[in-house]
Amino acid sequence: MTVATLQEAPPKRLELESAVVRFAGDSGDGMQLTGGQFTQATALAGNDLATFPDFPAEIRAPVGTTFGVSAFQINFGARDIRTSGDAFDCLVAMNPAALKVELKGLRPGGLLIIDTGSFNDRNLKKAGYDSNPLDDNALAAYQVVTIDISALTMEAVKDSGLSKKDALRCKNMWTLGYVYWLFGRDRTPTVEGLRAKFAKKPEIAEANIAALNAGHALGETSEVDFPGYHVPQAEIQPGLYRTVTGAEALAYGLAVGASLAEIPMFFGSYPITPASNLLHNLSRMKQFGVTTFQAEDEIAAACSAIGASYAGQLGVTSSSGPGVALKTEAIGLAIGVELPLIIVNVQRAGPSTGMPTKTEQSDLYQSVYGRNADSPVVVLAARSPGDCFEVAIEACRIATQFMTPVYLLSDGYIGNASEPWLIPDVDTYEHFPVKFHTETEGFHPFLRNPETLARAWAKPGTPGLEHRIGGIEKDYNSGHISYTPENHQKMTETRHQKIANVAKTIPDQDVEVGETSGKLAVVGWGSTFGPVSRAVQNLRDEGLDVSHIHIRHIWPLPSNLGELLSGYEKVLVPEMNTGQLLTVLRAEYLIPAKGLNKVAGQPFKIAEVEAAIRDELES
Amino acid sequence: MNAVTQKEKLTAKDFATDQEVRWCPGCGDYAILKAMQKAMADMGQSTEDNVFVSGIGCAARFPYYMATYGFHTIHGRAPAFATGIKLANPDLNVWVVGGDGDMLSIGANHLMHVLRRNVDLQVLLFNNEIYGLTKGQYSPTSREGTKSPSTPLGSVDRPIDACTYALGAGATFIARGIDSQQKHLPGIFQAASEHKGASFVEVLQNCIVYNDGVFNEFTDRDVAADRQVHVEAGKPLIYGADGNKGIRLNLKTLSLEEVVVGENGVTEADLLVHDPSNHTLAGMLAAMNGRDLPVALGVLYCSREDTYEAAVHDQINAAKSSAKITNFNDLLRTGHTWVAGG
């Protein structure tokens, strides 16, 4: 544990309430690493923050091209930070391609840091520039800091004994050092981190540290037009924090959830962007009794998880939309045989392969409706990286208590982004132990709990409870195969009612920000939480009558939601799809809700949501 | 195990459910079911520790008729379900049942992977060279020219040989039997069950409705003895109505040939002796199809290898015993943490 020691910022620095910084360079420039280090230093400095890693789909796109640009964005501030930020206050462009791709996101008057060492004819041409933007008026709207970072890095590490190529790889650390100076960050944790990371290659560690220090020193000593910035500490809930990505929090939440259910967890998965990180995280948690199985395909991943559930473990499978599509038949079986199963869907832009590294929320229909026949399931959605932990535990509770598959929707943005996380105390969570059926008297596999309608879970290996289950319709009273018309009607209705009963065990829908009635409710779900809540808060600060409702339980919906929504004159539903929750709300409650829809592979900007709210209030 | 008292040995009948068996009258599956129930009793198995997992198809109804645990799943995917079951509880004796359509068409991928991983379970493939449940279309094992509702002019697909496929996929146990051979079938099932690792058993099964008599050229009573060789470890490959036919390796062509002991100077010493651990021999035996050479029946291949679920659990146990962080609160507090506010 590291306790932050905060230094008083020099008074000459300009004070900012919050700032958005975007590091952009070639895929090989180490921008994600740079951003990660800056995030850590920023967290230690006491700011609240949110990040957005934005990288290309190609493993290694050709060097210097616009489609090879990898970026890392961070929004940090003295206030509660809910998004990775709209326009950037500072853009670091490591090459012409990065400038070409990212400049449009920089606010007018924003700070632009450019490595002139990479602005040669070849790179300019690759980026599609006819003339050097540094030489014409193209950058007049910004504060431009041009530094030959490449050359200064070479100079800083010249005694390291590294090859030219390896030496040049340190330029991201040089840049980081400079940005550290810009925002008054402490280099110590980064230096320690580099020494630990390259413990076996000390010459590389020292070269990186030399570059980091050189970048910092340039900031301190150069007579530039601005003195650097100071972003004061945020008022955040006291406690022990760490940063967490959605994938990490999901892995922790699932494992903790299974432990609260007091059964082992089995995870069957198949690699797919952006869901693979969950597999990577869980495969490092074997000491907690987590079995991970990298299956031969998506279907086997789901089937193996269902097999494990049948045998008495908590089966979990994960994928992204196209992979979940393949799992669908197996999920239908899990619905029919009424076994617990958690299906994590880290949504991405589609259809089909779509844009694998870009985010979207367009698998809501797939989750709520996307199976053959009447096959109801539970659908939950996480709103932020840290929230994944809580939602995963909730998924484990519902899956085991109701003997049902549960979809857990995350998305590419939540999965990869990180945020400071107030570390929970696992010991304070309530257990919900599974009680396997052992009573042989009067047993059949579709005996139901009269309250929940969940069926009895009898583990193979239990004497006297031998039974056969399958996808073919079962008789309500005996569990044997049945084709009787009345029985199918009854079983279908029972499966439907069982899922409806879940709503009795979930909290009433609350209002995130604002009043429980009024002119306009903005209803969100999933990762739009940040921009929607910030936009609503901003406009409420202006005195507008608007409230924010954010839905975690997508299906079944909270029992009071219909009544709650009816208390508003208008309902606006921002989604990163063409109106999927919107359809559900209109269908369920017959309300004239409107959609605000963005399908660009990028999260909403606060300004976009604000504009839509104003339009809606004025219309 | 859960047993606390010495249980009485179960009989074949104890493995039958009260469910009415609904295969077509005369279906080979009845005989296979009977053989399985006998094998269970012969082995002294319990009903609670056995699980039958199936996909879709006529054969896939098998679990409903075994008084054990059973899971009738989805088309072709039974091996994947079985893998999850076995990983979750290695103490269970897991059987996978499916037909040639189920396991060699839609499920061939899963079959391959369950075999190459060597999950300790028994895969029983009932091969009747036809799709029964969907009413008679040709299957991946149907011979070229098979006329069916979907191939009225005869199929042009080249068929796959199940045992050769299994061997290629890395199966560590391969056996072949015939539905009607009650004398041999229970023993084959028992050998498969006793094998540690993925056991693959092909049962040649007659579909009386859509492909009746497809195996007659080596199962008809008047030709069976001359067209079948029952292989046994350490015994020469000898067969025939007169007990004088044998299989010899032709060293010039590196192929098997049928010879008659006592003719052309051939003696029993010239015949190949079955060695189930011989992978090359297993491949040659698997390829014999009852036409040029007799069909080989019994345990064609058996090799002892580490099982998948044991390796997985070894890793989990090693992680448990060597991990520095063993509770969740410590896990959540690893890496960089900081105290804010307060």
Side-chain angles (χ1 to χ4, degrees):
Chain A
M1 189 179 83
T2 313
V3 178
T5 50
L6 297 160
Q7 291 147 2
E8 281 299 309
K12 58 177 182 172
R13 287 176 175 265
L14 297 174
E15 188 151 314
L16 298 176
E17 199 200 4
S18 69
V20 178
V21 177
R22 189 159 169 109
F23 299 92
D26 192 75
S27 294
D29 282 343
M31 291 297 98
Q32 302 306 321
L33 178 71
T34 308
Q37 290 293 330
F38 187 76
T39 301
Q40 216 176 76
T42 298
L44 289 171
N47 294 136
D48 195 14
L49 64 90
T51 68
F52 178 33
D54 191 10
F55 42 83
E58 291 78 10
I59 301 297
R60 281 280 180 272
V63 175
T65 56
T66 52
F67 44 90
V69 172
S70 174
F72 186 99
Q73 184 170 323
I74 175 170
N75 182 10
F76 53 98
R79 64 175 187 188
D80 173 28
I81 295 294
R82 297 177 195 170
T83 77
S84 56
D86 283 12
F88 334 136
D89 299 293
C90 174
L91 172 64
V92 177
M94 300 297 287
N95 67 0
L99 182 68
K100 182 94 177 179
V101 171
E102 304 289 356
L103 185 64
K104 62 182 181 298
L106 183 63
R107 69 167 168 78
L111 184 65
L112 178 58
I113 299 166
I114 284 177
D115 174 16
T116 54
S118 66
F119 276 62
N120 54 36
D121 288 347
R122 201 163 124 258
N123 283 342
L124 286 163
K125 196 173 162 216
K126 272 196 205 168
Y129 280 113
D130 296 328
S131 65
N132 191 338
L134 301 178
D135 300 337
D136 54 33
N137 235 6
L139 306 176
Y142 313 98
Q143 296 182 69
V144 185
V145 177
T146 51
I147 311 173
D148 190 342
I149 296 174
S150 302
L152 290 172
T153 301
M154 295 303 291
E155 175 67 20
V157 306
K158 67 174 188 283
D159 297 333
S160 65
L162 294 187
S163 68
K164 189 183 171 203
K165 194 178 155 205
D166 282 345
L168 205 54
R169 287 171 66 97
C170 299
K171 70 179 180 178
N172 65 328
M173 285 298 120
W174 193 101
T175 310
L176 184 64
Y178 184 78
V179 180
Y180 274 8
W181 165 77
L182 194 61
F183 290 97
R185 296 281 174 258
D186 183 6
R187 278 164 290 158
T188 317
T190 305
V191 168
E192 285 168 0
L194 286 166
R195 290 216 169 103
K197 185 176 175 189
F198 296 110
K200 286 182 184 156
K201 292 176 180 169
E203 69 283 4
I204 301 220
E206 293 311 317
N208 275 290
I209 292 164
L212 181 81
N213 289 337
H216 192 268
L218 185 94
E220 279 197 327
T221 54
S222 65
E223 301 278 327
V224 288
D225 297 341
F226 59 94
Y229 301 110
H230 174 62
V231 179
Q233 280 185 281
E235 290 230 353
I236 37 186
Q237 203 184 332
L240 184 66
Y241 280 79
R242 58 171 289 179
T243 56
V244 73
T245 65
E248 287 166 344
L250 256 182
Y252 296 150
L254 289 166
V256 168
S259 80
L260 296 174
E262 299 179 5
I263 52 173
M265 171 184 162
F266 178 96
F267 184 71
S269 192
Y270 184 75
I272 183 171
T273 303
S276 301
N277 284 339
L278 183 56
L279 171 61
H280 304 166
N281 279 292
L282 282 166
S283 61
R284 292 194 295 262
M285 291 171 63
K286 291 193 165 53
Q287 72 268 34
F288 296 99
V290 175
T291 303
T292 56
F293 173 60
Q294 182 179 314
E296 57 270 23
D297 62 26
E298 298 283 2
I299 298 171
C303 294
S304 65
I306 297 167
S309 281
Y310 172 69
Q313 300 198 343
L314 177 53
V316 182
T317 188
S318 74
S319 191
S320 190
V324 173
L326 286 166
K327 297 180 195 291
T328 304
E329 187 192 7
I331 294 166
L333 175 69
I335 292 167
V337 295
E338 303 187 48
L339 280 170
L341 174 71
I342 295 173
I343 310 110
V344 176
N345 180 349
V346 187
Q347 299 164 94
R348 66 188 213 187
S352 186
T353 309
M355 303 194 288
T357 60
K358 303 300 176 190
T359 195
E360 207 161 273
Q361 292 184 297
S362 45
D363 295 343
L364 186 143
Y365 285 162
Q366 184 191 41
S367 314
V368 176
Y369 303 126
R371 289 161 300 283
N372 69 294
D374 267 312
S375 41
V377 291
V378 176
V379 183
L380 306 177
R383 61 168 66 171
S384 69
D387 190 47
C388 286
F389 183 78
E390 306 297 333
V391 176
I393 291 173
E394 175 72 340
C396 295
R397 179 188 73 82
I398 295 173
T400 52
Q401 289 190 340
F402 285 86
M403 297 292 281
T404 178
V406 175
Y407 277 95
L408 196 170
L409 297 176
S410 172
D411 64 30
Y413 176 65
I414 295 177
N416 291 325
S418 63
E419 67 179 4
W421 186 43
L422 179 60
I423 306 173
D425 179 359
V426 171
D427 296 338
T428 62
Y429 284 74
E430 202 176 324
H431 283 235
F432 37 84
V434 166
K435 292 182 193 72
F436 289 109
H437 194 90
T438 51
E439 175 58 53
T440 56
E441 184 66 32
F443 170 78
H444 72 79
F446 288 84
L447 279 179
R448 292 179 189 281
N449 175 322
E451 213 166 294
T452 60
L453 295 180
R455 79 166 178 95
W457 193 357
K459 264 197 294 190
T462 312
L465 300 183
E466 293 84 344
H467 66 274
R468 278 65 57 193
I469 56 173
I472 300 181
E473 187 63 284
K474 279 79 44 182
D475 182 78
Y476 187 89
N477 296 310
S478 69
H480 293 316
I481 289 176
S482 170
Y483 274 68
T484 316
E486 307 78 41
N487 180 70
H488 181 56
Q489 180 90 28
K490 184 168 185 184
M491 286 296 274
T492 302
E493 287 168 1
T494 302
R495 286 186 289 262
H496 176 83
Q497 188 58 47
K498 181 178 86 165
I499 298 306
N501 287 351
V502 172
K504 296 177 192 167
T505 70
I506 66 177
D508 269 355
Q509 181 63 51
D510 60 2
V511 178
E512 199 64 38
V513 182
E515 318 304 324
T516 53
S517 63
K519 276 193 182 155
L520 177 64
V522 183
V523 181
W525 68 281
S527 72
T528 58
F529 176 77
V532 171
S533 69
R534 174 59 69 201
V536 170
Q537 187 62 58
N538 287 351
L539 298 183
R540 286 186 62 80
D541 290 348
E542 287 181 20
L544 299 185
D545 182 6
V546 54
S547 301
H548 173 205
I549 292 167
H550 212 75
I551 301 178
R552 164 178 292 180
H553 292 87
I554 305 287
W555 200 266
L557 289 159
S559 310
N560 67 325
L561 184 63
E563 199 190 332
L564 179 64
L565 294 181
S566 69
Y568 299 91
E569 288 171 33
K570 292 179 171 182
V571 173
L572 178 69
V573 185
E575 296 178 86
M576 294 188 288
N577 60 47
T578 56
Q580 300 193 3
L581 179 66
L582 179 71
T583 309
V584 174
L585 295 179
R586 290 173 68 119
E588 289 298 304
Y589 305 121
L590 298 174
I591 53 170
K594 283 189 187 166
L596 168 64
N597 306 102
K598 179 173 182 178
V599 272
Q602 302 288 333
F604 275 108
K605 293 190 188 308
I606 296 164
E608 292 166 343
V609 182
E610 285 179 0
I613 292 172
R614 284 183 206 281
D615 280 357
E616 199 55 27
L617 285 171
E618 284 160 17
S619 69
Chain B
M1 294 296 137
N2 297 297
V4 286
T5 51
Q6 190 69 33
K7 274 183 282 189
E8 264 183 57
K9 197 166 176 296
L10 301 176
T11 67
K13 272 189 180 168
D14 294 321
F15 289 92
T17 61
D18 59 355
Q19 298 297 291
E20 186 190 342
V21 184
R22 292 198 191 173
W23 285 310
C24 306
C27 175
D29 287 351
Y30 285 95
I32 303 173
L33 178 65
K34 196 175 147 209
M36 176 58 71
Q37 289 164 347
K38 180 175 187 302
M40 284 289 186
D42 290 350
M43 287 186 271
Q45 287 284 348
S46 68
T47 50
E48 70 265 22
D49 295 322
N50 281 274
V51 182
F52 281 80
V53 188
S54 64
I56 298 293
C58 298
R61 301 296 173 101
F62 202 89
Y64 292 116
Y65 310 132
M66 289 296 298
T68 60
Y69 283 91
F71 198 174
H72 180 215
T73 69
I74 53 178
H75 205 182
R77 320 300 178 187
F81 286 93
T83 301
I85 293 168
K86 189 69 183 180
L87 282 171
N89 185 356
D91 291 339
L92 295 170
N93 192 24
V94 181
W95 304 77
V96 177
V97 180
D100 42 308
D102 194 45
M103 284 211 249
L104 289 171
S105 271
I106 188 167
N109 182 38
H110 307 298
L111 175 60
M112 173 173 87
H113 291 285
V114 82
L115 295 177
R116 62 110 180 155
R117 288 191 184 109
N118 201 32
V119 186
D120 182 22
L121 36 77
Q122 296 77 242
V123 178
L124 312 180
L125 188 149
F126 302 176
N127 184 6
N128 54 21
E129 298 190 4
I130 206 78
Y131 283 1
L133 198 71
T134 52
K135 303 201 172 176
Q137 299 85 355
Y138 77 117
S139 92
T141 55
S142 296
R143 295 163 208 184
E144 273 185 82
T146 298
K147 289 195 174 175
S148 81
S150 59
T151 52
L153 305 180
S155 67
V156 295
D157 289 26
R158 296 170 61 199
I160 190 168
D161 172 68
C163 288
T164 303
Y165 177 86
L167 197 66
T172 56
F173 178 101
I174 294 169
R176 188 189 276 141
I178 294 175
D179 55 0
S180 55
Q181 294 184 342
Q182 290 298 309
K183 196 177 126 199
H184 299 287
L185 218 43
I188 290 175
F189 293 153
Q190 184 164 347
S193 180
E194 284 162 3
H195 174 69
K196 281 280 165 202
S199 308
F200 178 82
V201 180
E202 179 188 28
V203 184
L204 302 172
Q205 182 258 14
N206 191 45
C207 174
I208 195 162
V209 175
Y210 295 111
N211 213 14
D212 192 24
V214 68
F215 301 122
N216 279 356
E217 56 191 315
F218 55 82
T219 58
D220 268 356
R221 192 165 298 192
D222 53 340
V223 295
D226 284 329
R227 295 288 81 196
Q228 300 176 9
V229 54
H230 292 267
V231 300
E232 266 187 82
K235 301 251 175 88
L237 298 175
I238 199 160
Y239 58 99
D242 302 324
N244 63 347
K245 287 186 173 173
I247 303 291
R248 181 173 74 174
L249 179 66
N250 183 322
L251 288 171
K252 281 186 186 157
T253 62
L254 280 183
S255 59
L256 301 181
E257 61 187 10
E258 183 174 270
V259 291
V260 179
V261 176
E263 283 180 14
N264 303 320
V266 174
T267 69
E268 203 174 300
D270 294 321
L271 304 183
L272 279 170
V273 172
H274 185 47
D275 172 9
S277 70
N278 185 332
H279 194 267
T280 308
L281 177 61
M284 293 173 128
L285 291 173
M288 301 198 309
N289 61 15
R291 282 160 248 169
D292 299 336
L293 290 167
V295 66
L297 302 167
V299 179
L300 307 187
Y301 184 64
C302 182
S303 134
R304 183 74 193 257
E305 310 280 348
D306 293 340
T307 68
Y308 180 72
E309 74 282 357
V312 168
H313 284 274
D314 284 351
Q315 271 196 349
I316 292 172
N317 292 334
K320 281 180 179 169
S321 60
S322 69
K324 293 193 182 89
I325 297 163
T326 53
N327 78 67
F328 285 116
N329 274 335
D330 290 345
L331 177 70
L332 301 189
R333 285 157 182 77
T334 50
H336 289 269
T337 62
W338 70 93
V339 173

